[in-house]
Amino acid sequence: MRWLMGEKVKFCLSFHDEVRYIVKEEYANEAAMAMHVTNLLTRAYCVSRLGVQDLPQSIAFFTSVEIDTILRKDA
């Protein structure tokens, strides 16, 4: 994310399968796309190290990236 977004994002929290960044509202959509790209690059690197040549599309991208205006804990 830092490579794609620079100083526009601040890492906030990582818990199990959840990652949160603090981003100004004007960069929210750009940050959501950067999350997908970061995930894709990370997975591609990992499978290539295992010698796998194809990355299934079903795992290449997140199922969703949520943009929220407040930091909250879901029940």
Side-chain angles (χ1 to χ4, degrees):
M1 285 290 288
R2 179 74 49 162
W3 179 65
L4 293 171
M5 296 290 298
E7 297 295 321
K8 297 177 191 172
V9 298
K10 299 268 188 227
F11 177 76
C12 178
L13 173 73
S14 177
F15 187 74
H16 294 290
D17 63 345
E18 184 175 322
V19 179
R20 293 187 181 210
Y21 284 88
I22 297 175
V23 181
K24 287 185 179 181
E25 192 171 344
E26 62 192 272
Y27 301 119
N29 290 329
E30 184 181 346
M33 181 59 77
M35 290 283 293
H36 280 293
V37 172
T38 300
N39 181 60
L40 176 62
L41 291 173
T42 302
R43 288 183 181 262
Y45 172 77
C46 291
V47 298
S48 72
R49 297 289 293 167
L50 294 171
V52 177
Q53 298 300 314
D54 294 325
L55 181 65
Q57 187 173 358
S58 62
I59 66 164
F61 298 97
F62 290 123
T63 54
S64 69
V65 173
E66 297 175 6
I67 299 172
D68 205 345
T69 58
I70 60 173
L71 183 61
R72 70 179 106 206
K73 181 178 171 151
D74 295 327

